Amino acid sequence: MSLPDIQNRNDLLMLVSTFYQDVRKDEILKDKFMQVVWETHIPVMVDFWDNVIFYNGNYNGNPMLKHLLVNSITPLTEAHFSRWLSLNDNVVDRLFSGPNATMLKEKAHNIAHFLQNKVIKKSGE
C-alpha cells in the first residue's frame, strides 16, 4: 500500500504532531523542548510548514532568532540538528510519500543546515 502525499494543513498538523511526539521521547532532543508550550508551538510550526510547502503566507516568525535564543540558554550542537533531521525524515517517511513529502524533507535539510551554520558559528565566535 502506498502512502499519500502531503496535501493540506491537516496533513501538516498530523506530521508536526507526530514529529513532536517523537521529539518528546528522544534522549538527544527532549531536554531542548522541556519549556515549550505545545498548544502554542504546534500551530506555529504548522503555519511555518504550510507556508514552506504551500506558500500561504500564514507564518511571519523568525526561526533564526528563536534558535539563537534556545542556543543562548543551552547550546545547540551538530548532534541536535542531525537528530532533528533524522526524526523529521523518519516521520515524513512513515506518514507520507510523494513530491510534497520529498520537498518538505529537502527544505527541512536546507533550513537545518542554514540554522546550524549560523547558530553554532555565532556561539563559537
Side-chain angles (χ1 to χ4, degrees):
M1 179 171 96
S2 66
L3 296 170
D5 198 5
I6 300 167
Q7 295 296 321
N8 54 44
R9 184 176 180 81
N10 286 335
D11 290 344
L12 292 169
L13 176 59
M14 179 174 44
L15 175 70
V16 169
S17 297
T18 303
F19 171 76
Y20 283 115
Q21 287 171 6
D22 288 0
V23 164
R24 286 182 264 194
K25 298 176 205 165
D26 186 78
E27 291 302 317
I28 295 172
L29 294 177
K30 68 181 179 183
D31 292 344
K32 297 293 180 190
F33 290 87
M34 291 180 70
Q35 303 300 319
V36 170
V37 177
W38 295 108
E39 296 78 21
T40 304
H41 187 66
I42 288 178
V44 169
M45 295 312 302
V46 172
D47 284 347
F48 175 81
W49 287 112
D50 203 12
N51 191 57
V52 168
I53 301 301
F54 300 116
Y55 309 104
N56 66 14
N58 285 340
Y59 179 79
N60 61 4
N62 188 328
M64 177 61 70
L65 287 178
K66 295 288 186 185
H67 286 83
L68 287 170
L69 176 62
V70 169
N71 189 63
S72 72
I73 297 166
T74 174
L76 295 168
T77 67
E78 290 181 21
H80 292 115
F81 286 96
S82 178
R83 186 63 179 156
W84 185 93
L85 285 171
S86 175
L87 287 178
N88 183 72
D89 287 353
N90 181 275
V91 170
V92 172
D93 291 342
R94 282 188 342 234
L95 300 175
F96 299 103
S97 177
N100 289 336
T102 299
M103 179 182 9
L104 189 140
K105 290 190 302 184
E106 290 170 355
K107 297 228 180 217
H109 280 259
N110 291 340
I111 292 165
H113 291 299
F114 175 79
L115 289 172
Q116 176 181 324
N117 288 335
K118 296 296 184 181
V119 169
I120 294 175
K121 180 182 177 193
K122 282 197 177 287
S123 67
E125 290 179 347

